[in-house]
Amino acid sequence: MANVAKKVSWSNKDDEDRPGELTPLLNGSPTASPAQTNFFRIERLTTVNLDDDLTQDQDGVSTTNVSKEIQHNEKLLSLKYESLDYDNSENQLFMEEERRISKIGFHVLEIKRWIVCCLIGIFTGLIACFIDIVVEKLADIKYMQIKQNIDKSTENGGLSISLVLWASLNAGFVMIGSILVAFVEPAAAGSGIPQIKCYLNGVKVSHVVRLKTLVVKVLGVIFSVVGGLAVGKEGPMIHSGAVIAAGISQGRSSTLKKDFKIFEYFRRDTEKRDFVSAGAAAGVSAAFGAPVGGVLFSLEEGASFWNQMLTWRIFFASMISTFTLNFVLSIYHGNPGDLSSPGLINFGQFQSEAVQYNWYEIPVFMCVGAIGGILGAVFNRLNYCLTMFRIRYIHRPCLQVIEAMLVGAVTATVSFIMIYAMYSSDCQPIGEDPIKYPLQMFCSDGEYNVIATTFFNTPEKSVCSLFHDSPGSYNPLTLGLFTLSYFFLACWTYGLAVSSGIFIPSLLIGAAWGRLFGIFLSNISSDPSWADPGKYALMGAAAQLGGIVRMTLSLTVIIVEATGNVTYGLPIMLVLMTAKIFGDFCIEGLYDIHIKLQSVPFLGWEPPEKSHSLTAREVMSYPVTCFKRLEKVGRIVDILSDTATNHNGFPVVDENHEPEYDNVGRLCGLILRSQLIVLLKHKVFVERANSTLTQRKLQLKDFRDAYPRFPPIQSIHVSQDERHCTMDLTDFMNPTPYSVPGEASLPRVFRLFRALGLRHLVICDGSNGVIGIVTRKDLARYRLHKGQLEELEMAQT
Amino acid sequence: MANVAKKVSWSNKDDEDRPGELTPLLNGSPTASPAQTNFFRIERLTTVNLDDDLTQDQDGVSTTNVSKEIQHNEKLLSLKYESLDYDNSENQLFMEEERRISKIGFHVLEIKRWIVCCLIGIFTGLIACFIDIVVEKLADIKYMQIKQNIDKSTENGGLSISLVLWASLNAGFVMIGSILVAFVEPAAAGSGIPQIKCYLNGVKVSHVVRLKTLVVKVLGVIFSVVGGLAVGKEGPMIHSGAVIAAGISQGRSSTLKKDFKIFEYFRRDTEKRDFVSAGAAAGVSAAFGAPVGGVLFSLEEGASFWNQMLTWRIFFASMISTFTLNFVLSIYHGNPGDLSSPGLINFGQFQSEAVQYNWYEIPVFMCVGAIGGILGAVFNRLNYCLTMFRIRYIHRPCLQVIEAMLVGAVTATVSFIMIYAMYSSDCQPIGEDPIKYPLQMFCSDGEYNVIATTFFNTPEKSVCSLFHDSPGSYNPLTLGLFTLSYFFLACWTYGLAVSSGIFIPSLLIGAAWGRLFGIFLSNISSDPSWADPGKYALMGAAAQLGGIVRMTLSLTVIIVEATGNVTYGLPIMLVLMTAKIFGDFCIEGLYDIHIKLQSVPFLGWEPPEKSHSLTAREVMSYPVTCFKRLEKVGRIVDILSDTATNHNGFPVVDENHEPEYDNVGRLCGLILRSQLIVLLKHKVFVERANSTLTQRKLQLKDFRDAYPRFPPIQSIHVSQDERHCTMDLTDFMNPTPYSVPGEASLPRVFRLFRALGLRHLVICDGSNGVIGIVTRKDLARYRLHKGQLEELEMAQT
């Protein structure tokens, strides 16, 4: 990687210090010409126009070279990430194909899209069933063993052996999950939601939608849940759905090296991203039984342009997914046709008297929201520090596995100590509630230890207990200690090299302190009937989750759907709103923190405020490497091979420009690196046109077959003779790329770029001469920080 | 209107015949230069670039002139409709203002937006309450009178007098509502949903968001519901919400001539349209108790670019609206705090055993969907013919009032005859069901006439009865006759000059035949337990409504929310999907039919299929009237006054172009008619710059104060001296208008136009010279018809 050295001036050389805010450009004259602004630009020349393709040789040298000196920092922007091409290249081949498709052809395509969405729904539902059933079976075995051992030890003494058994069982399960993630496929770590957010935003995250990732993710989440970690199996479902969607829609798997030769038309970023949205929605839908929430999640995270038919299809996939899950699970549980539990987690039916709320409770709910926001911010801050620590010191896979095992053992130990310490204060008679593992411990006969039940259960069931158990079931001290310990355990767990979701732990923490809050309210209130602890547990759960992840509309709908009751809509919305306001005041959402720490060029919904003073001319990268319509093969190969620039898109300019515009050619098209690679591979040279009359003409199919992993330029052999040939780019370039004048403001450029999902936007002067190019990184670089626009640095992290 | 005569060649001269498909342009060479295509274009020159502003003098001569020869036809495109300016004109003034706004200023603006949304929610909820309460009161009085009269007449004879009383009461109420609509504000006719669809699509529909329209709408819907017409009060709520939103967000009313001097920043199309989306969502939410459905309705109909914060605000407005309605109605009904009936209509709780469905019922549901689609298509076809008839023969207001009264009287007569004819067959004992007006008629004592209850009730209550009454409540013959009569009555009613919604009648028709279908199923099935008639009534209602209006995602969510049960999500979705597929095969949705009959330039979600062969050059209007940066006032006034062209946007071109490009100036900006008018009004002339040094500089406020009804050019006096002055447009034009090359394909132009909500898109040649302009009409003109792309004609209807 020759370019690493050159870019040192742009990368953060000092690991310890974060760079100060660099805003020289903002002080430059807004109308300055390129010549005038050269002073500020000179260092950037080596990195310009670099919509880089390191992923092409990701498995090779480049990443390993860089990974030694990890420079994660939220003030950097990584050059590692490519953009997706959401804009069709409307070249001759494309137009010919579109014209060839008959009316029936369009219908067939449409039907195929529906079939793919149906399959996405079915497979996502099945995966969710698989996870659910296996987790249940394994957890049953584990808890049964431990219970028997504890029961025996309570009588005979030797509880420390039970502790060791519990801790080592946990650590064992976690180890398997962690080894899979750390050694086989690191992309499967965590919930995958940040990665899916990035993908839907238009960033190509490598390995994120591969079959191998799916397998590791599914097995990983099973082992981490069974391992007793403070994790949920819901978040990973979203990632799983997305991988399933990408796999099915492409009709082939590169992990299995199998091409089913179906759905070939969908082999481009535009179509694939649409299906991935559907997959993510189906995942949400299966996880929470929330098909509408799933659709809104996809839209909130991914949609740039709302399309009625697409949304309708996404909804269909979601519906099918929750139906499949419900149907299969109902058969598994022995009551086929009972379609009343549509998700992996259901919050259960709230009693109708508990559902009611009074208008004067609304300010109280908003207080709960505020507490959730602040606690969420504390959680995020702690996790941020922990992540920084991990990035610096725990980046070797074996260290990651050891940390995960440690967390597993500690979780078991904390649980055990709490059960042991609280045994006397929290015994309850075994009532009608069907409790699977009533631990007697030191309680009298016919009683069980309540806190043991909370720990001795999957977190999903604990959440439901906190919502629905009758007032008085929980001792406030127990709840307080539980909240505290689970808060820190969950915070420590998120970011481990295991496959895990943050939704359920957040809900559990929130439900615990929400219930505590409810108990407190009913104690101080003269009429305790209105302060149902279950209701406040729900509000607390919403507040805590909202305070951590900061989702808005989709989270409201997900919680309302999981509750199965529309009446709570307004309170939940107000709680989430307050939590978001309070949380945003302190620190960003957890997913955004992790996205920023990965230095992903993520584009928000709106251009940053106060960016109106910046123009395209100040933002763009230049000088631009252009090609002519008829270009020498040698030059193309040289430019593509130049690792110092590594451009991905090249404006094509007209040769017949007038003398006064000698330096800038007039824009007449745009061609991508991937297209040039295919052209070179097929030797589409003007000089060979006659000799290859017998050869078939290059078709769009040839480009699709190479998608998405186009070969690197180094793998294409071009002989010395061929270097003197010419390539005619006219038929292959996009003849009408979007362009804006250099005077356009940053918000204007941003909106165009975001609304159309562009990858390259050419900046032209008054007579259509190419003066620069704007890519995702040029826009993502600007950010509002403490009321000032700041400019991020770019680095090859 | 001098241009009416010139445009005859483009308007449909023959009222009776629809013009054949005109596709000369499609045969033209795709790369033909303007000169080559002149043959096909020559006639269009008089209408080009006409994003017309007839609404400016709408209240004057022009409309009355044209209304004599109404040429509604779905193969025409009206030139009457303006586009909204969703794209900010980023001129110097705008940029200065944006730069002036501090960080706190942005926050204040954001808070103001939330306040406006909250107010929208509250007022929409209150309006819904008002309608509900007044309708209930008046309907009580009416039915009580008739019931007493019938009870008396049954004993004493003289039922014909009861019939006359009923019919004349109906006709009387309908008359008041119809007079209001026909004479005071015709824009309040119908449900208003087509108009709101158009508005959200970006078309300026005159009078649609005025206070007067709201008042007439609210009063009109009260009288038409009380008048016993086959209408609902739900559709008009959407329109009402939109008007409230437009009114509140602008902080002034032109009907009342009152300016509250608040929310001045929001006085532009971009902001106003966002708030109108929120209003429409709040309306749906209040009508059906469906806040999520409301948001999705707004998005489905209006959104071009999904924005997280905007959607979140829309959701907030919806939530507040349904909460207000629920809260006020709970107080009115004497049980304050009972927040369980959040909408004007609630489908009520389905019994838990009825909620279940089996997987083998899914094909049956799809059959219901198919029937709904076909019946919906029949409904739409009949209504289409009726509307054509009305356009031709019933366009005088007094005729419209008479027709409405006739329908009112006929509705009463049909109801009466059916009650009378079926008295023997359909008597039921008065049970636990609380029936408000149990008509005994000829039933024995202690019994009541079932069909009388169906007619003797607001349609909302009848729908709920059909969903929830126990199996066996209804006689199949009664149901069949009811379906048939109500189908034709509802079809006749839609399109009358009254304020009315189609949702409830559709639901009622569907519920009736759905229940019939359910009864049929349980008769033929060996195990009748699964075929609950109430369940099939719900499916039938969904199918019929879907078959008529063809909404997708939003309708599913609305019905699910109104049912309050998520379990039915998948069946309802499948039913709506099947209904849409079958319906679309026959004829378009009812709203689309009415939009097309109004010849509105409505842009769909996607460019028409098979339009890839068209390029911008073939689609655009030309020649374009351009201005120079420094332009003579006389020329500006002349061009603005030219009623033959009536352009609304003018590219500004550079004066210093090279000799070879003499004919086409280089694009350097775009200025709107409205901006020029304000400039002329304030006499912003270069020559007066020195003399007016003491005068304050023109600000954005001056443009906002004139918004949205800019004065016509005729009202601005320009002296002969002033005609020789010069205007410098540089500071006021949009310096970076979007432009595309002439070679861009129609789909590409369409996507750019639609995604960014543009009004004018400049088409340039290779060196940025202006060669044409594309407006909404140029894109809306192309439509797929029977597998072929057809081009609509444009006319000044």
Side-chain angles (χ1 to χ4, degrees), chain A residues 213-235:
Chain A
T213 313
L214 175 66
V215 173
V216 171
K217 187 117 222 163
V218 169
L219 296 180
V221 77
I222 289 173
F223 285 112
S224 42
V225 172
V226 173
L229 290 181
V231 299
K233 54 192 186 298
E234 280 68 19

Side-chain angles (χ1 to χ4, degrees), chain A residues 87 90 95 98 300 304-308 315 337 356 553 605-606 612 666 736 744-745 748 766-768, chain B residues 87 90 95 98 300 304-305 307-308 315 337 356 553 605-606 612 661 666 736 744-745 748 766-768:
Chain A
D87 183 38
E90 299 202 327
M95 298 305 256
E98 289 288 316
E300 199 166 296
S304 56
F305 176 60
W306 166 284
N307 179 312
Q308 193 182 19
F315 190 47
Q356 289 304 330
L553 180 61
W605 290 107
E606 291 279 347
H612 269 282
R666 286 205 182 142
T736 53
S745 70
R748 202 172 179 79
S767 53
N768 217 21
Chain B
D87 184 38
E90 299 202 326
M95 298 306 255
E98 289 288 317
E300 198 166 297
S304 55
F305 176 61
N307 179 311
Q308 194 183 17
F315 191 46
Q356 289 303 329
L553 180 61
W605 290 106
E606 291 278 346
H612 270 284
Y661 289 99
R666 284 198 185 151
T736 53
S745 70
R748 201 170 180 79
S767 55
N768 216 21

Side-chain angles (χ1 to χ4, degrees), chain A residues 60-274:
Chain A
V61 234
S62 59
T63 36
T64 41
N65 273 358
V66 180
S67 66
K68 292 288 178 247
E69 36 155 345
I70 292 163
Q71 297 180 335
H72 289 278
N73 186 314
E74 78 276 26
K75 301 270 178 195
L76 286 180
L77 208 57
S78 171
L79 292 167
K80 193 177 74 180
Y81 295 98
E82 274 187 83
S83 265
L84 295 171
D85 273 312
Y86 210 55
D87 183 38
N88 281 327
S89 173
E90 299 202 327
N91 55 21
Q92 280 300 319
L93 300 181
F94 178 80
M95 298 305 256
E96 274 167 27
E97 195 188 72
E98 289 288 316
R99 269 173 222 147
R100 230 179 12 243
I101 298 177
S102 64
K103 201 192 159 198
I104 293 172
F106 276 112
H107 285 295
V108 170
L109 271 181
E110 194 62 19
I111 291 168
K112 275 188 188 168
R113 288 198 186 100
W114 283 95
I115 293 173
V116 170
C117 282
C118 183
L119 292 175
I120 290 170
I122 292 173
F123 281 98
T124 308
L126 290 178
I127 292 275
C129 288
F130 174 75
I131 293 178
D132 197 53
I133 293 170
V134 175
V135 165
E136 201 184 305
K137 286 279 172 218
L138 287 179
D140 266 1
I141 296 171
K142 188 188 92 171
Y143 286 125
M144 194 52 73
Q145 290 297 330
I146 299 172
K147 181 184 145 58
Q148 285 170 356
N149 191 286
I150 291 183
D151 284 348
K152 210 172 60 191
S153 312
T154 319
E155 291 168 29
N156 313 343
L159 267 179
S160 53
I161 294 172
S162 301
L163 168 60
V164 172
L165 173 73
W166 192 352
S168 46
L169 268 180
N170 270 13
F173 279 118
V174 170
M175 186 183 72
I176 305 174
S178 184
I179 285 176
L180 279 173
V181 170
F183 289 95
V184 182
E185 184 53 83
S191 70
I193 295 180
Q195 287 94 319
I196 296 301
K197 272 183 83 153
C198 291
Y199 188 89
L200 293 180
N201 192 262
V203 182
K204 203 171 205 161
V205 186
S206 59
H207 289 243
V208 81
V209 289
R210 292 214 186 155
L211 184 62
K212 195 167 86 176
T213 313
L214 175 66
V215 173
V216 171
K217 187 117 222 163
V218 169
L219 296 180
V221 77
I222 289 173
F223 285 112
S224 42
V225 172
V226 173
L229 290 181
V231 299
K233 54 192 186 298
E234 280 68 19
M237 272 315 299
I238 299 168
H239 191 172
S240 305
V243 183
I244 290 168
I248 291 177
S249 66
Q250 301 300 296
R252 66 178 167 193
S253 158
S254 41
T255 306
L256 298 180
K257 298 200 174 37
K258 177 118 188 88
D259 188 341
F260 295 96
K261 306 264 179 206
I262 45 171
F263 308 137
E264 286 174 329
Y265 185 84
F266 301 145
R267 293 181 187 174
R268 48 180 150 161
D269 284 342
T270 323
E271 300 276 353
K272 191 170 169 185
R273 205 178 98 172
D274 285 353

